[in-house]
Amino acid sequence: MKLMKTEDAVGQVLCHDITQIIKGVTKDAVFCKGHIITEEDIPVLLSVGKDNVYIWENDETMLHEDEAADILRAICQGEHMHASPAKEGKIELIADVDGLLLVDLEHLRAVNSLGEMMIATRSSGFVVKKGDKLCGTRIIPLVIEKEKMEAAKQAAGDKPLLQLYPLKAKRYGVVTTGNEVYYGRIQDTFTPVIQEKLAEYGCEMVAHEVLNDDHEKITAAIQKMLAEGCEMVFCTGGMSVDPDDKTPLAIKNTGASIVSYGAPVLPGAMFLMAYAQDGRPICGLPGCVMYANRTIFDLVLPYLLADVPVTADYLAGLGNGGLCLNCKVCHFPNCGFGKGV
């Protein structure tokens, strides 16, 4: 790459895109990398502030920004995503399916800590739609040493930094517990909330039982739903520490493995996560899921639908960012809830 005065650059080959920005009108490349500068181009280049330009000179030790961005793209790209063409030194990855996006935050930080290069991603742990941008990659200078890009490959490890897990529409059962509902003292307003949330993902409720606070009956109902093919079971009510709240005991007595009873999330502290012996999830949902706009359930549900295990470590990490501010106008997931790093 060689710096040359613009007026003297006729016949030379541009080694980078030249961007024109007109507020409210356009931000785009007015000349692209590889363009051969003509006499007519000089006034245009000067009008976008380019009194000097970089023209291409071969150097076997250096990489152009587009080539370097493609290396960063390869570092990031997992399955179910595709790359955009290089433009102005930047390459983006686009989702091919609706799915749960997970980012290797440790290795992402390692690459970005090298300097002279950057990878910017969407927040890890949230649902993306087909066609959504997942990340953008580029280097900061116009050219970079090949050895620095080799260092980036080493820092990234041997797996893609981005993984996109397709969401699956599942069949589920709901066990509604509580003497107050069972005996008709109050209406069940919890189950409709679950149905509404799951319907957004194409899931179908295929089993529903309303029971009193008899833990043996609750255990039997969960086991029956699993035996009849439910892919997930949700228990509502009975999740606090009151004497009559027996749902955690009932879930444990199914033989399920308890991942965690409790989560550092508000609303949602009394959430219980368990897995049946064959890996199907069983969740005890606290009362806040019924009345709060967004809760622990909204953070965990995409993992269940993508068959990504909900671990105790993941739940513990939700503490940073786990406080919902109950905004008057909810913008979730375009907010800080659940986005701790």
Side-chain angles (χ1 to χ4, degrees):
M1 187 173 67
K2 179 180 179 182
L3 181 66
M4 180 173 286
K5 193 172 179 62
T6 298
E7 287 93 336
D8 299 332
V10 174
Q12 300 294 331
V13 179
L14 274 175
C15 69
H16 61 100
D17 293 348
I18 301 292
T19 302
Q20 182 182 53
I21 302 174
I22 302 176
K23 184 178 179 181
V25 178
T26 185
K27 178 190 180 294
D28 206 349
V30 65
F31 297 112
C32 295
K33 179 192 77 168
H35 176 75
I36 299 174
I37 300 172
T38 68
E39 194 73 48
E40 292 77 17
D41 297 335
I42 302 303
V44 180
L45 289 166
L46 294 173
S47 74
V48 295
K50 303 301 178 185
D51 291 340
N52 301 279
V53 291
Y54 286 109
I55 58 98
W56 185 251
E57 285 186 321
N58 285 329
D59 185 338
E60 294 300 322
T61 68
M62 306 294 286
L63 288 173
H64 185 271
E65 60 178 353
D66 287 352
E67 297 171 295
D70 192 55
I71 290 174
L72 295 175
R73 184 276 312 161
I75 285 171
C76 293
Q77 188 170 358
E79 295 183 352
H80 310 297
M81 59 188 77
H82 69 274
S84 69
K87 184 176 181 181
E88 299 174 302
K90 179 175 68 176
I91 297 177
E92 297 174 334
L93 289 176
I94 313 296
D96 292 332
V97 297
D98 295 354
L100 172 68
L101 175 67
L102 294 183
V103 181
D104 184 338
L105 300 179
E106 178 183 352
H107 287 100
L108 174 67
R109 184 183 293 272
V111 174
N112 282 331
S113 295
L114 294 174
E116 295 193 299
M117 63 189 74
M118 56 78 62
I119 302 168
T121 76
R122 296 174 77 102
S123 293
S124 179
F126 287 82
V127 170
V128 298
K129 298 290 187 181
K130 180 180 180 180
D132 282 351
K133 294 179 184 178
L134 303 179
C135 77
T137 69
R138 71 171 304 156
I139 60 168
I140 307 307
L142 290 172
V143 294
I144 193 169
E145 293 90 344
K146 288 183 178 180
E147 64 182 25
K148 289 187 177 178
M149 299 313 300
E150 287 299 320
K153 294 178 185 179
Q154 294 299 314
D158 56 3
K159 295 181 180 179
L161 298 188
L162 273 62
Q163 300 287 349
L164 184 58
Y165 296 90
L167 302 180
K168 302 174 183 177
K170 295 192 174 187
R171 302 164 72 251
Y172 65 94
V174 175
V175 182
T176 301
T177 72
N179 290 338
E180 66 279 20
V181 178
Y182 182 75
Y183 293 110
R185 298 167 189 159
I186 65 170
Q187 182 181 358
D188 175 19
T189 55
F190 207 143
T191 304
V193 171
I194 297 175
Q195 288 179 282
E196 183 179 355
K197 286 186 181 292
L198 271 294
E200 294 179 13
Y201 298 101
C203 298
E204 179 187 4
M205 185 175 73
V206 295
H208 181 213
E209 285 203 42
V210 180
L211 300 172
N212 61 9
D213 292 313
D214 183 327
H215 67 87
E216 293 181 349
K217 291 180 180 178
I218 299 169
T219 296
I222 297 170
Q223 291 173 328
K224 179 183 177 184
M225 290 178 182
L226 292 173
E228 292 177 348
C230 288
E231 296 169 275
M232 305 181 292
V233 176
F234 303 108
C235 299
T236 72
M239 290 303 302
S240 75
V241 293
D242 293 340
D244 291 331
D245 290 339
K246 303 293 181 63
T247 303
L249 174 62
I251 294 174
K252 179 181 178 182
N253 287 345
T254 66
S257 174
I258 306 296
V259 175
S260 178
Y261 177 27
V265 176
L266 290 172
M270 306 305 291
F271 173 75
L272 187 150
M273 184 70 233
Y275 285 97
Q277 292 181 359
D278 61 3
R280 283 179 287 177
I282 305 170
C283 297
L285 302 181
C288 61
V289 176
M290 175 174 56
Y291 62 81
N293 199 13
R294 297 296 178 180
T295 69
I296 179 69
F297 191 41
D298 298 283
L299 302 179
V300 168
L301 181 56
Y303 284 76
L304 304 182
L305 300 182
D307 289 332
V308 175
V310 176
T311 65
D313 184 64
Y314 161 71
L315 292 172
L318 290 176
N320 181 25
L323 178 63
C324 177
L325 299 181
N326 298 311
C327 302
K328 290 182 179 179
V329 178
C330 180
H331 296 288
F332 180 85
N334 299 318
C335 67
F337 183 47
K339 289 185 177 150
V341 178

